[in-house]
Amino acid sequence: MLPLRIVVIGGGAAGFFGAIACAKVNPDAEVTLLEASRQPLAKVLISGGGRCNVTHACFLPEELVQNYPRGAKALRGALTRFGPQDTVAWFAAGGVYLKTEADGRMFPVTNTSETIVECLIKAVATSGVKLRIGTHVTSVTATNGGFDIHLKSGDPIKCDRLLLATGSSLIGYKIVKELGHQIEAPVPSLFTFNIADPQLQALAGVSVNPVQLRLSLGGKSQLQQTGPLLITHWGLSGPAVLKLSAWGARVLHEKRYQATLLINWLPDLQQEQVREKVLAVKDEWGKKAIALHRGVDLPHRLWQYIIARAGITTEDRWAEISNKTLNQLLQELTQGQYLISGKGAFKEEFVTCGGVNLKEVNFKTMESRLIPGLYFAGEILDIDGVTGGFNFQSAWTTGYLAGVAMGTNS
């Protein structure tokens, strides 16, 4: 009997994990991993500022899925079969240990992504997977009982089962469509907000934690996130912004990244408590300059910016401001309006939402519901997580499940 021939297209996190899992569950199978570039695992190498945020210390699937704007329902069961605790154990078995930071993100104790890359490349080699780099796939044809993979270099590769782990690449989407699957339109996720306000941009480097952000989408429709915010020389960044961009990815794309953002700089206080604090300062420091006596816990430079937005000058004293100006200040502190005029990039870690329609995939095995023997893993699926290791966990989970299913003779 001929050995099972399996091909994985895409040498990223999901592709590597799928190929390794397949070879381990079926040592007799011929597993080939194809990567178009000369540098496999390139995204792993640059992720997390070069440290690689491998996963997140959230071990209950029902809580974990709340970090996926798209794909939560489909991933719910998958994460019970291979979740963050399994990822931690898998890397530990390969001699790589992870540490948990205060916000739940998990990194290798070495603090370098090279550790993760070396572990995966070693696992591919020891499991007998044949890694072919610089191998460009142009198209795939489904045949009777298998697939023909057409290469830019010439002769096709024949296989019995195929895993597509091509990320958000155009060639991956082209192959998926040609094979008859539906693609949800890919649009950017995890990005920063451009705010065309020179006075705000002059505060670059100022951070506040927490703030509450609300994206006003017309009518009563709003999206909301609370967390750390960083002011940049182009606008706003930080975890709260990145999470909001992920949940609002589709609607912001539809609005061409033009929207109104409401910022509550003091979310730990009720609006009435903010009013009481401001009035107490007004009573106690009536003759003092508002610019120098703030009474609320905000960075000094940010306070000066906020009072200027409320029409207060650096010379104005607390005793002099009218109730109308006071109300305007409270408005700026708790629901200031900022116009988003575009999106920035999130470093090199480009994440998209969109991809293979999840209804067309069996999430127990990651096999296509339309084409037997075709599997999907990673970012080619219409799944994306917020920042914090969730996108990698989705890649490990779907790659592992696909690999085990492909390698199991049935």
Side-chain angles (χ1 to χ4, degrees):
M1 185 176 171
L2 291 172
L4 197 61
R5 298 167 302 174
I6 291 167
V7 169
V8 177
I9 303 178
F16 262 74
F17 228 61
I20 295 162
C22 183
K24 283 189 175 178
V25 79
N26 188 344
D28 296 325
E30 290 180 358
V31 183
T32 305
L33 175 56
L34 307 179
E35 166 57 30
S37 75
R38 292 279 167 190
Q39 172 66 67
L41 299 165
K43 206 166 183 179
V44 175
L45 205 54
I46 63 171
S47 69
R51 293 199 300 149
C52 188
N53 186 182
V54 178
T55 186
H56 201 94
C58 180
F59 303 113
L60 296 174
E62 60 271 23
E63 291 181 12
L64 191 61
V65 295
Q66 293 172 22
N67 295 283
Y68 294 90
R70 283 146 293 271
K73 187 179 176 184
L75 277 177
R76 176 70 172 77
L79 287 164
T80 64
R81 290 184 281 279
F82 194 92
Q85 67 274 22
D86 302 298
T87 300
V88 173
W90 191 96
F91 280 104
V96 174
Y97 300 95
L98 306 182
K99 60 176 179 176
T100 306
E101 301 205 337
D103 58 5
R105 294 180 301 161
M106 300 190 76
F107 294 89
V109 293
T110 58
N111 260 342
T112 173
S113 55
E114 289 175 7
T115 307
I116 302 299
V117 170
E118 287 165 7
C119 176
L120 291 167
I121 287 176
K122 182 181 176 184
V124 153
T126 56
S127 61
V129 172
K130 184 179 181 183
L131 173 61
R132 291 178 57 175
I133 60 172
T135 305
H136 293 263
V137 175
T138 56
S139 63
V140 173
T141 307
T143 61
N144 189 15
F147 302 90
D148 284 349
I149 299 158
H150 306 280
L151 306 178
K152 194 175 182 180
S153 58
D155 293 338
I157 300 173
K158 294 183 180 294
C159 66
D160 304 301
R161 294 173 189 173
L162 172 65
L163 171 59
L164 290 177
T166 50
S168 54
S169 72
L170 294 177
I171 184 64
Y173 293 145
K174 172 180 171 281
I175 290 168
V176 168
K177 287 179 182 176
E178 287 174 351
L179 289 171
H181 270 275
Q182 183 183 338
I183 289 284
E184 300 299 324
V187 301
S189 181
L190 288 188
F191 49 83
T192 57
F193 295 160
N194 294 347
I195 310 284
D197 178 349
Q199 282 73 41
L200 178 70
Q201 294 167 2
L203 300 178
V206 171
S207 61
V208 185
N209 183 23
V211 299
Q212 183 189 72
L213 304 180
R214 285 182 293 150
L215 207 52
S216 182
L217 304 170
K220 292 185 178 179
S221 179
Q222 287 187 341
L223 289 171
Q224 182 175 302
Q225 283 292 328
T226 300
L229 177 89
L230 173 67
I231 300 173
T232 69
H233 60 265
W234 64 85
L236 299 173
S237 185
V241 169
L242 295 172
K243 288 179 180 179
L244 192 60
S245 79
W247 288 98
R250 289 213 175 278
V251 69
L252 283 167
H253 178 75
E254 289 165 9
K255 291 180 174 291
R256 298 172 187 261
Y257 306 100
Q258 314 284 315
T260 299
L261 181 70
L262 301 175
I263 302 182
N264 181 353
W265 297 100
L266 301 165
D268 289 341
L269 300 173
Q270 298 292 329
Q271 193 158 8
E272 199 49 46
Q273 290 176 303
V274 178
R275 178 181 289 275
E276 287 169 9
K277 274 184 170 288
V278 170
L279 287 174
V281 176
K282 187 174 188 289
D283 289 343
E284 187 176 350
W285 302 101
K287 294 181 179 180
K288 300 292 185 179
I290 298 169
L292 300 176
H293 294 79
R294 52 190 182 275
V296 292
D297 188 16
L298 287 175
H300 178 64
R301 289 168 61 209
L302 177 61
W303 170 257
Q304 291 189 316
Y305 167 76
I306 287 172
I307 66 170
R309 280 177 59 103
I312 298 169
T313 70
T314 52
E315 288 79 31
D316 286 341
R317 306 191 181 281
W318 277 110
E320 299 166 352
I321 67 165
S322 65
N323 285 336
K324 182 181 178 182
T325 302
L326 193 69
N327 288 335
Q328 185 61 42
L329 176 58
L330 291 168
Q331 177 88 5
E332 290 296 338
L333 287 169
T334 59
Q335 45 185 336
Q337 292 192 16
Y338 296 78
L339 296 177
I340 298 171
S341 58
K343 69 172 183 64
F346 177 37
K347 299 179 185 173
E348 307 94 333
E349 301 167 45
F350 188 67
V351 173
T352 61
C353 69
V356 177
N357 186 307
L358 303 185
K359 292 177 182 176
E360 300 175 350
V361 181
N362 176 353
F363 268 73
K364 287 183 178 175
T365 60
M366 303 315 300
E367 187 174 17
S368 162
R369 294 187 185 277
L370 309 182
I371 302 168
L374 176 65
Y375 296 78
F376 303 101
E379 210 185 330
I380 193 171
L381 294 156
D382 186 20
I383 295 173
D384 64 291
V386 298
T387 181
F390 303 103
N391 287 297
F392 270 134
Q393 184 56 53
S394 168
W396 311 132
T397 295
T398 54
Y400 180 85
L401 295 179
V404 169
M406 285 192 302
T408 306
N409 284 300
S410 57

